[in-house]
Amino acid sequence: MKIMVINGPNINMLGIREPGIYGANSFADLWALIDATAKAEGLEIEQFQSNHEGAIVDKIQECYGKVDGIVINPAAYTHTSIAILDALKAVGIPAVEVHISKVSDREAFRQISYPGMYCEKTIQGKGLSGYTDAILYLKEKYG
Ligand code: DQA
């Protein structure tokens, strides 16, 4: 089974950005955790991060016919991007949305998720382990 993990803007700043909200672990720690999960579960996992909306749309389109599941933290684009929602709908690949922080307890402008309208599950507020949970969910259901 092949899974694509996509992270949006500023996720590469983990460990530096607002550690009280996003924790002390670095982006390299997240990358290593996902690689370790892939190894332990016998999955092929590709990781991608971009600060650019169009690059994320391009990556989702590239997944068509090649990937069995998508784990996506669209970061701030969660709350603005119909383009990412439309890309997910276009490829039709099962997808899980992850947020490191508990978005539902935060500002009003974070309460809408456009990609979440496509994703079959949202995991939030579990820190980096939310990514592992999302991967295991996809493996159990589609692996
Ligand atoms: C986030 C939550 C978003 O509201 C925010 O813009 C992010 C990160 C999270 O993982 O908690 O950049 O997606």
Side-chain angles (χ1 to χ4, degrees), residues 7-11 14 17-18 21-22 72-79 97-103 106-107 109-112 123-125 127 131:
N7 278 297
N10 302 305
I11 300 297
L14 279 180
R17 85 182 279 218
E18 302 179 90
I21 296 176
Y22 299 111
I72 185 163
N73 182 350
Y77 289 136
T78 303
H79 318 301
E97 175 186 25
V98 173
H99 298 289
I100 296 163
S101 65
K102 194 163 183 213
V103 180
R106 298 183 64 192
E107 301 94 325
F109 64 81
R110 294 185 204 275
Q111 300 313 311
I112 188 161
I123 297 168
Q124 58 156 327
Y131 290 84

Side-chain angles (χ1 to χ4, degrees), residues 36-47:
T37 305
K39 217 173 208 177
E41 299 295 329
L43 297 165
E44 189 185 343
I45 302 186
E46 184 179 331
Q47 301 197 54

Side-chain angles (χ1 to χ4, degrees), residues 43-83:
L43 297 165
E44 189 185 343
I45 302 186
E46 184 179 331
Q47 301 197 54
F48 178 77
Q49 188 276 332
S50 178
N51 295 323
H52 306 278
E53 184 177 19
I56 294 168
V57 169
D58 286 345
K59 183 52 75 175
I60 292 168
Q61 289 183 7
E62 273 174 34
C63 289
Y64 181 70
K66 294 184 192 140
V67 164
D68 308 298
I70 294 175
V71 172
I72 185 163
N73 182 350
Y77 289 136
T78 303
H79 318 301
T80 61
S81 184
I82 296 167

